[in-house]
Amino acid sequence: MSQFYDVIVIGGGHAGAEAAWAVSHLGATVALITLDPARIAQMSCNPAIGGLAKGQMVREIDALGGLMGIASDNTGIQFRMLNRSKGPAVWGPRTQSDKYRYAHEVQRLLHEYCGNLTIIAGEVADIETKSSGCVSPVLSANSPSPNGNNAANGSAQQSSLQPRSQVTAVRLADGSRLACRAVVVTTGTFLRALMHTGEAKTIGGRVGEAAATTLSGCLARLGLELGRLKTGTPPRLHRDTIDFSCFELQPGDTDPFPFSYLNEYPALQGKHWAPPLTQVPCHLSATNARVHQLIRDNLHRAPMYSGQIASIGPRYCPSLEDKIVRFADKSAHHIFLEPEGLDTEEIYCNGLSTSLPADVQEQIIRLIPGLRDARILRYGYAVEYDMVWPNQIRSSLETKIVSGLFLAGQINGTSGYEEAAAQGLIAGVNATRYACHGQLAPCDESASASDASAAVDYINDGEYRKNNRASLPNTPLILRRDQAYIGVLIDDLITKPPIEPYRMFTSRAEHRLHLRADNADQRLGPIGRQVGLVDDARWQQFCAIDNATQQTTQLLRNLHIGGGQSAYDYLRRSDTDWNKLVEQLPELASIASPVARRIVITARYEGYIRRQNTEIARFNQLESKAIPHNTDYSIITGLRNEAKQKFKKFTPASLGQALRISGITPADITVLAIHLSTRDRNPAKNNSSIT
Amino acid sequence: MITGDTIVALSSTPGPAARCIVRLSGPEAVRFVQQMIENPLPLAEFSSACRVAIRLETKNENGPENKSAAKTGDLRVPGVWLYHFAASRSYTDEEVIELHLPGNPWLARQVLDRLIHAGARQAEAGEFTARAYFNHRIDLTRAEGVAAMVSAVSERQRRAARQLLAGELSDRLRPIREQIIQTLALLEVGIDFSDEDVTFIATDRLLERLTGAAAELQNLIDHSVRLERLSHEPTIVLVGQPNAGKSTLMNALAGHERAVVSDIAGTTRDVLSAEVDLPAGRVVLLDAAGIDFDNSSVAPLVDMNPSAAADQSSDRSPQAAIERDMRSRSLRAIKQADVVVLVIDGQNAVIPAGFQQILAIEQSPDLIVLTKGDLVAGATNWPLPCGATLGAPASTPVLSVSALTGQGMEQLRHQLSSSAFGLTLADDVLALNARHVRAIQAAIHALELAGSAAADGTEMVALGLREALNELGSILGSVSPDELLGEIFSQFCIGK
């Protein structure tokens, strides 16, 4: 077995799988190290992919040539487009997945399509580094504090703007050593993981599984400041012990949308996609006053309230006990019963996330109509785990102080499979670029802009980078906030360290009308092609549908219906749709549905998008003003001390990013901008700093 | 502007006064002052206020040959009050020291020079306030208030500036913004958590909220005066047809013969001005040259560029050129005036057709005056035509006067006074600068767009609300998505 890899991915969750897929498809060698290879891409919590804002991210991952969309389509057992009553900008595709088939499908795709990938079972004991040549003080190995939630106070690492070491190898618990150029850490909930069910505490990242115990100490030794977060999961019930007649039926869509463009494009030739698996419904019910009283009576036994857990859980996904305490006036909360798969009797109780003791969980279930005789297969629990405060990473997801070390997924404080996979993809691409060049050029906001523009030339070449590693750029792939939810996600993480596990919402994206599920390929397809993850087959299909859309748009602009109005303008009205247009112009019936859909959505949003574009332009003005890496904030006169500390800690790449750091005000940016402009005029004054 | 060094300035009004105040701000303020006081105190004892004696080496700059060099030596100034404001409590967020000296401008100058010699820098205009702003002691509207206060020359201006300084604008805008944030939160919760068990906002309720917020913003503008207007004397322009009696009216108001008057239409060939004292203060009265609307095409009038007007006109005689030039001056005066008074011959009370067009383009008259009241039969109890029958907005006040008999003139003075000073800065009137007005108007526009998008979907309405928040953000600071989510999470039980 070869003992050298370009990239080593630690962890086999959704981030790890996506990272390994990306590295391998870019032609680099990659090892994926995981505690249990049989559990790669396991769904630890909700057996579902997508949803509002999350579904958009899955489409973006797919448009870039990622893994998640394909696996989701192949294993979905109920497809629903959320928010259908609203505009397409906020539609969110979602699927219930057969969680076992999903994991197997990802494993199959990795085996069959990733020739450069080696999967290794084991626990990583250490990440070895060597000094990167910069003079830097050696830090004492500060062990992570169990309650280290105070992101703002870390000072030990602040002095370092330059990487002080670089990754050389990974050592496993069994003593074996794997040399490498870059490492992507995707440890999910496994870092020093501790599970709570009532008073009972179990070490492990998932029921029946171990925890990664040594890696936390290793990361801390490298100089990274760790925090601790909490998340939870509800009980699973046995399907055959539930009286479903007491529940409201929630079926899937009759015309399911696929996540992957590879499944959408063939509609151009009239081949409409259908889910390969049998489709099943979900069931809906609610809690009641008796349940709430029971929980109030047992609150002192809930780890979140007894003081046993001090870490912060997510506000948007509260435990049942949280909901009852915080919203005392509500007499009922929804419960969704979701099947975990076709061949399993496990039913996921969405809405009943709890870490109350097992006996209380039993009583809660009994009090809900239809669940009186239900058998709990697995109790709900809360899990606490270590994470790395993400102000310590760059937009490339590389850590600032250890070059070649990339972090993705829950270790950066996020929640959710989609958020994890999105980071995995970006980390995989950037780790590969790093491995090819031994370093990455500074994260520069303008780099991503040139990525997009360069894509045009590249399309004309028809060149494919897959087997041409040397041609990979040495700049990181960075998506901007106006390009993708993935861009919003990473930018939010590095500018606002999460106080709770970070989940994507459409309201986080100021350019929401543009960041839609329908146009993810138009936004990111050319970038994915240029990155090297979009292969010829996908690219040709993308071009075909893009051409068809443009030609048809032109046709509609020239076609006139009654009153001198063009067919295109007709579609812009809110009281029209494609079918009404076809009634008037039957010759349009032959237009393929994906093309028609794209045109209708574009037409409907045109005026609004124009308005939003002026906002984007205003936004990009600040965004394009890069802050040099080596800026010494301590010498900026007039800058508040708090701002100096924040800038030192976050080392923002642009003025726009600097303004998004929490606690930074427009006045700070004014002072910083004045400093940068005088610095530009007098470069001699600043030549003492190291580049 | 450089920040971070120590600045010094005379902060009392220059010239003789009971006390002169020299103020320093910056890290070395204490050190510089310590160098010049008798028995310098250690920093710890530099308490908030103490009485000290200053020692000045009054070396004469002119050199030894000057006779006054004999005076060279230490000058001891007792009875100086020293106020020290630690950085944590000072206006600029820096060490601030104020020296209250006996009211002698020469002495103050000496102290200032001594401090500058020690290393302090003469502060630029407004620099103390700029530091307070950059150091987050005050927000932008307060800083603007200070700037306005510094340059205020009248009592009205000072009152307006004080309001800004007190953060009155921020205080009034904040509840409106809060209302917009809450409305947006209601929309966002419907978008991001549509599968949740929460009640969303109904369209009619939403529109009600949008129009409510827009109306409150409009109200804020309506009940405000422009800060810029306060910094000069208001101008009132009299416009009307030739021989409507504008010049006679002007002379009567000014109390002296400013304009040559005659019965010949078009006697006044240029814009004349006079300063007139009205009950609420002094105004500049302008008499725009008579515009013969019946005899001129409107287009050249509207076009403010005389050369373009000349191109369009076939008449290239010097006489015609003068006429055009006159008209364009008159139009400019109308455009720039604070109050437009339409003067109409009372014997023939109709607004000339051409004028209406100009009014529609530029502005409605603030007041209509019917002249020659003495010539109109029974003018004293003559039912005056309302503004609407004269083709102006119905609310436009109409007055009948006679400059000859003085009939109606007192009423006119009061009416002009309240039009010019209108909002006489009663307690609920805000003074806004152009930036404020622009931002608030843009916010109103965005709210209107949001309302009109209701049929197109909540995400489009949300776009308008976000634009409105961005505009108000230029006055109040921006709202981050996290704050919005916080609003949502505090109101709704989210999460399955």
Side-chain angles (χ1 to χ4, degrees):
Chain A
M1 184 173 81
S2 156
Q3 294 297 297
F4 174 83
Y5 301 92
D6 290 315
V7 179
I8 289 177
V9 177
I10 303 174
H14 304 279
E18 204 72 57
W21 171 270
V23 177
S24 173
H25 277 75
L26 293 176
T29 55
V30 52
L32 190 155
I33 304 170
T34 177
L35 293 172
D36 182 356
R39 294 184 193 261
I40 287 175
Q42 173 153 349
M43 297 176 147
S44 314
C45 192
N46 196 348
I49 297 277
L52 299 168
K54 290 164 167 274
Q56 278 91 320
M57 266 195 293
V58 180
R59 294 282 276 175
E60 290 174 357
I61 292 167
D62 185 73
L64 288 168
L67 171 67
M68 184 171 251
I70 305 167
S72 304
D73 284 349
N74 289 347
T75 58
I77 54 177
Q78 185 199 76
F79 286 82
R80 276 176 66 210
M81 186 64 86
L82 305 185
N83 262 348
R84 266 211 186 182
S85 62
K86 301 188 178 65
V90 292
W91 285 7
R94 181 183 189 273
T95 181
Q96 289 299 142
S97 299
D98 180 318
K99 72 173 199 180
Y100 296 103
R101 285 190 169 84
Y102 182 87
H104 288 151
E105 176 66 5
V106 170
Q107 291 166 22
R108 181 188 71 85
L109 290 166
L110 291 176
H111 280 295
E112 290 184 15
Y113 294 94
C114 299
N116 306 324
L117 169 66
T118 309
I119 292 171
I120 298 168
E123 184 185 353
V124 172
D126 198 12
I127 297 168
E128 293 182 7
T129 59
K130 66 175 183 192
S131 164
S132 59
C134 294
V135 186
S136 59
V138 178
L139 275 183
S140 59
N142 45 342
S143 62
S145 66
N147 297 322
N149 291 317
N150 41 347
N153 299 337
S155 58
Q157 293 78 29
Q158 288 182 14
S159 58
S160 172
L161 297 174
Q162 302 296 324
R164 65 168 71 106
S165 57
Q166 76 187 70
V167 164
T168 54
V170 161
R171 208 159 34 76
L172 301 187
D174 66 8
S176 55
R177 184 178 180 277
L178 311 173
C180 64
R181 286 216 173 84
V183 169
V184 181
V185 183
T186 69
T187 46
T189 60
F190 280 76
L191 275 187
R192 289 202 318 123
L194 184 62
M195 293 179 288
H196 303 255
T197 302
E199 298 86 348
K201 289 184 266 187
T202 322
I203 290 172
R206 212 156 37 200
V207 163
E209 294 179 57
T213 48
T214 49
L215 201 51
S216 287
C218 163
L219 294 171
R221 264 196 311 282
L222 291 172
L224 294 166
E225 190 196 346
L226 304 188
R228 206 154 165 81
L229 288 175
K230 170 253 163 187
T231 189
T233 193
R236 307 321 198 254
L237 304 178
H238 194 295
R239 183 175 56 200
D240 301 342
T241 61
I242 297 170
D243 178 4
F244 285 103
S245 66
C246 299
F247 290 79
E248 187 186 321
L249 195 71
Q250 200 180 45
D253 289 342
T254 49
D255 55 339
F257 277 92
F259 280 102
S260 176
Y261 284 97
L262 291 179
N263 290 324
E264 178 180 327
Y265 291 149
L268 192 59
Q269 283 85 42
K271 285 179 234 158
H272 288 279
W273 178 79
L277 295 185
T278 311
Q279 301 296 291
V280 296
C282 293
H283 292 85
L284 176 65
S285 181
T287 60
N288 52 51
R290 291 173 66 201
V291 171
H292 294 199
Q293 191 53 48
L294 175 72
I295 288 170
R296 274 192 285 269
D297 293 344
N298 286 282
L299 214 51
H300 59 284
R301 300 179 65 197
M304 293 296 288
Y305 288 90
S306 64
Q308 188 174 322
I309 298 182
S311 326
I312 302 163
R315 284 175 299 178
Y316 49 80
C317 189
S319 61
L320 188 56
E321 49 268 32
D322 256 358
K323 288 194 255 190
I324 283 158
V325 170
R326 290 184 47 220
F327 299 94
D329 53 327
K330 285 205 78 169
S331 57
H333 297 283
H334 273 165
I335 304 171
F336 297 84
L337 296 187
E338 301 174 352
E340 298 222 310
L342 296 178
D343 307 327
T344 173
E345 60 282 358
E346 286 167 285
I347 298 287
Y348 180 93
C349 284
N350 204 338
L352 283 188
S353 176
T354 180
S355 54
L356 281 162
D359 59 300
V360 182
Q361 294 191 28
E362 292 281 359
Q363 294 178 58
I364 292 172
I365 296 297
R366 304 277 162 262
L367 291 173
I368 294 167
L371 299 184
R372 205 182 54 226
D373 303 318
R375 185 150 59 85
I376 297 181
L377 292 171
R378 195 171 354 131
Y379 293 102
Y381 61 92
V383 59
E384 285 186 286
Y385 53 94
D386 285 350
M387 45 82 77
V388 174
W389 291 111
N391 57 287
Q392 303 169 91
I393 54 173
R394 307 179 195 281
S395 303
S396 60
L397 299 180
E398 185 183 14
T399 58
K400 290 172 183 170
I401 57 169
V402 183
S403 63
L405 180 63
F406 294 78
L407 309 179
Q410 276 165 305
I411 193 169
N412 288 333
T414 59
S415 152
Y417 312 141
E418 305 79 1
E419 286 86 348
Q423 295 170 68
L425 179 69
I426 299 295
V429 169
N430 287 331
T432 311
R433 289 182 178 187
Y434 173 92
C436 288
H437 297 278
Q439 65 172 27
L440 284 178
C443 299
D444 179 353
E445 289 290 325
S446 57
S448 57
S450 61
D451 263 0
S453 54
V456 180
D457 299 337
Y458 172 64
I459 292 162
N460 296 337
D461 296 350
E463 169 199 12
Y464 187 43
R465 294 184 193 272
K466 185 167 180 173
N467 297 311
N468 191 6
R469 285 172 42 192
S471 69
L472 286 181
N474 70 343
T475 51
L477 169 66
I478 298 169
L479 300 176
R480 290 193 316 265
R481 294 181 76 92
D482 61 314
Q483 284 178 320
Y485 273 98
I486 300 174
V488 174
L489 167 74
I490 294 173
D491 187 66
D492 276 350
L493 287 178
I494 64 177
T495 56
K496 297 182 179 65
I499 52 159
E500 61 185 340
Y502 178 102
R503 178 184 146 179
M504 185 51 74
F505 297 106
T506 72
S507 54
R508 293 194 194 271
E510 51 278 71
H511 312 306
R512 174 169 65 193
L513 297 185
H514 178 56
L515 306 185
R516 305 190 303 266
D518 65 274
N519 69 357
D521 63 335
Q522 288 163 298
R523 291 184 278 124
L524 302 175
I527 294 175
R529 177 66 172 168
Q530 200 238 356
V531 164
L533 288 177
V534 169
D535 63 18
D536 292 340
R538 184 192 278 259
W539 183 244
Q540 280 158 13
Q541 294 185 76
F542 168 78
C543 292
I545 204 155
D546 204 44
N547 286 340
T549 309
Q550 286 181 27
Q551 283 168 11
T552 311
T553 305
Q554 204 49 49
L555 174 78
L556 294 183
R557 284 190 196 278
N558 296 331
L559 262 181
H560 287 271
I561 57 172
Q565 190 179 29
S566 78
Y568 188 81
D569 287 337
Y570 175 80
L571 284 176
R572 295 172 60 172
R573 288 163 33 188
S574 59
D575 59 340
T576 59
D577 59 29
W578 183 259
N579 290 337
K580 286 183 182 162
L581 180 66
V582 172
E583 277 171 28
Q584 304 208 28
L585 299 167
E587 66 267 37
L588 294 176
S590 62
I591 302 291
S593 63
V595 173
R597 195 164 52 238
R598 277 157 193 253
I599 293 171
V600 170
I601 295 173
T602 311
R604 184 66 51 81
Y605 276 111
E606 204 167 53
Y608 293 98
I609 301 243
R610 206 175 298 128
R611 253 163 74 195
Q612 196 171 65
N613 282 344
T614 62
E615 293 279 312
I616 293 179
R618 205 193 283 188
F619 159 85
N620 280 339
Q621 275 181 357
L622 270 187
E623 225 52 31
S624 63
K625 295 207 176 87
I627 302 174
H629 245 234
N630 54 3
T631 301
D632 181 358
Y633 296 99
S634 64
I635 61 160
I636 302 179
T637 50
L639 197 58
R640 287 181 310 146
N641 273 334
E642 188 197 342
K644 284 181 186 174
Q645 280 162 15
K646 286 268 169 74
F647 288 152
K648 227 181 239 176
K649 179 173 170 146
F650 290 87
T651 54
S654 70
L655 285 183
Q657 204 172 68
L659 183 56
R660 287 190 296 275
I661 295 171
S662 60
I664 292 301
T665 71
D668 297 327
I669 300 304
T670 310
V671 176
L672 180 56
I674 291 169
H675 171 78
L676 292 176
S677 63
T678 54
R679 180 188 146 120
D680 288 346
R681 283 201 296 274
N682 303 316
K685 273 191 178 175
N686 291 279
N687 56 9
S688 56
S689 39
I690 322 148
T691 311
Chain B
M1 179 177 31
I2 312 161
T3 55
D5 57 352
T6 300
I7 52 173
V8 63
L10 185 67
S11 68
S12 51
T13 39
R19 304 295 266 178
C20 287
I21 301 171
V22 171
R23 187 198 258 174
L24 291 98
S25 175
E28 295 197 279
V30 172
R31 192 170 69 82
F32 293 158
V33 171
Q34 269 174 330
Q35 289 176 8
M36 61 192 295
I37 59 177
E38 210 170 57
N39 307 320
L41 301 160
L43 185 61
E45 286 171 43
F46 239 73
S47 58
S48 52
C50 54
R51 210 176 158 89
V52 296
I54 285 181
R55 236 168 229 298
L56 291 171
E57 302 160 41
T58 56
K59 267 190 211 134
N60 199 303
E61 299 291 321
N62 295 334
E65 57 270 277
N66 193 308
K67 290 285 174 203
S68 60
K71 288 181 185 170
T72 300
D74 276 7
L75 171 68
R76 184 171 180 275
V77 186
V80 174
W81 275 100
L82 184 154
Y83 297 90
H84 174 231
F85 305 89
S88 57
R89 295 176 294 119
S90 80
Y91 175 58
T92 57
D93 200 38
E94 298 175 332
E95 294 287 324
V96 168
I97 288 187
E98 282 184 11
L99 294 172
H100 292 220
L101 306 161
N104 177 337
W106 176 83
L107 185 64
R109 187 69 238 168
Q110 291 298 313
V111 171
L112 211 56
D113 285 349
R114 178 77 178 74
L115 288 168
I116 289 168
H117 183 72
R121 178 167 58 78
Q122 172 79 50
E124 292 164 31
E127 199 171 353
F128 285 98
T129 300
R131 288 185 175 205
Y133 168 66
F134 279 131
N135 293 335
H136 302 261
R137 273 293 196 246
I138 53 175
D139 71 12
L140 196 51
T141 58
R142 281 177 173 80
E144 285 165 340
V146 174
M149 184 76 100
V150 167
S151 62
V153 293
S154 74
E155 179 51 31
R156 291 183 302 133
Q157 283 171 263
R158 254 192 291 276
R159 266 166 75 182
R162 243 190 330 258
Q163 280 185 336
L164 273 185
L165 188 55
E168 186 70 27
L169 173 60
S170 310
D171 290 350
R172 290 206 206 173
L173 274 180
R174 220 168 271 124
I176 306 177
R177 178 174 71 161
E178 207 47 49
Q179 203 179 321
I180 299 174
I181 291 176
Q182 279 181 10
T183 311
L184 181 57
L186 287 169
L187 292 179
E188 296 292 357
V189 82
I191 293 170
D192 265 343
F193 304 94
S194 63
D195 51 344
E196 299 284 347
D197 187 14
V198 292
T199 342
F200 310 125
I201 185 166
T203 307
D204 51 346
R205 189 78 196 84
L206 168 70
L207 291 176
E208 206 174 289
R209 276 168 170 259
L210 293 180
T211 46
E216 281 185 53
L217 289 174
Q218 188 59 51
N219 191 41
L220 216 127
I221 292 184
D222 289 347
H223 289 84
S224 70
V225 286
R226 291 284 296 276
L227 208 53
E228 293 86 346
R229 283 203 177 177
L230 298 180
S231 61
H232 65 85
E233 284 159 343
T235 55
I236 298 176
V237 66
L238 305 178
V239 293
Q241 278 192 305
N243 207 20
K246 297 183 296 296
S247 300
T248 310
L249 196 60
M250 181 167 179
N251 288 342
L253 287 167
H256 62 267
E257 297 291 306
R258 178 65 185 82
V260 177
V261 289
S262 78
D263 287 340
I264 302 161
T267 301
T268 306
R269 307 304 304 238
D270 201 354
V271 179
L272 296 176
S273 74
E275 294 200 333
V276 173
D277 286 316
L278 294 174
R282 178 170 290 187
V283 298
V284 176
L285 194 62
L286 297 176
D287 175 7
I291 301 171
D292 190 349
F293 298 97
D294 296 338
N295 294 339
S296 59
S297 61
V298 175
L301 285 171
V302 173
D303 193 334
M304 298 299 285
N305 181 346
S307 62
D311 288 346
Q312 287 169 22
S313 170
S314 53
D315 188 351
R316 291 179 179 276
S317 67
Q319 178 66 26
I322 291 169
E323 296 270 345
R324 277 193 299 273
D325 191 39
M326 237 172 63
R327 275 199 300 274
S328 86
R329 279 168 198 241
S330 296
L331 284 165
R332 203 173 304 133
I334 296 171
K335 214 175 187 177
Q336 291 169 355
D338 296 304
V339 178
V340 176
V341 178
L342 176 58
V343 182
I344 298 173
D345 187 338
Q347 300 169 103
N348 183 21
V350 285
I351 290 189
F355 199 86
Q356 281 176 18
Q357 290 193 40
I358 291 177
L359 293 181
I361 292 159
E362 293 301 334
Q363 63 197 96
S364 304
D366 299 282
L367 175 65
I368 297 171
V369 175
L370 304 177
T371 57
K372 309 181 187 176
D374 53 306
L375 297 178
V376 179
T380 37
N381 51 10
W382 177 55
L384 289 175
C386 74
T389 62
L390 294 171
S395 58
T396 313
V398 181
L399 283 178
S400 168
V401 302
S402 165
L404 203 66
T405 65
Q407 164 225 321
M409 287 303 288
E410 204 43 40
Q411 214 185 333
L412 175 63
R413 283 175 169 280
H414 278 102
Q415 185 62 54
L416 286 176
S417 181
S418 70
S419 295
F421 298 98
L423 312 154
T424 42
L425 282 192
D427 286 347
D428 62 333
V429 174
L430 267 183
L432 305 178
N433 68 22
R435 187 180 74 81
H436 301 144
V437 174
R438 219 177 306 124
I440 297 173
Q441 278 171 343
I444 294 173
H445 181 62
L447 289 174
E448 285 166 358
L449 287 176
S452 65
D456 289 351
T458 44
E459 70 277 18
M460 325 284 202
V461 181
L463 174 66
L465 286 172
R466 280 166 183 258
E467 286 169 345
L469 287 176
N470 283 347
E471 296 296 348
L472 295 183
S474 67
I475 299 175
L476 292 173
S478 55
V479 180
S480 76
D482 263 358
E483 287 173 67
L484 198 60
L485 285 167
E487 183 70 32
I488 294 173
F489 294 136
S490 68
Q491 282 184 50
F492 299 101
C493 180
I494 297 303
K496 288 174 180 171

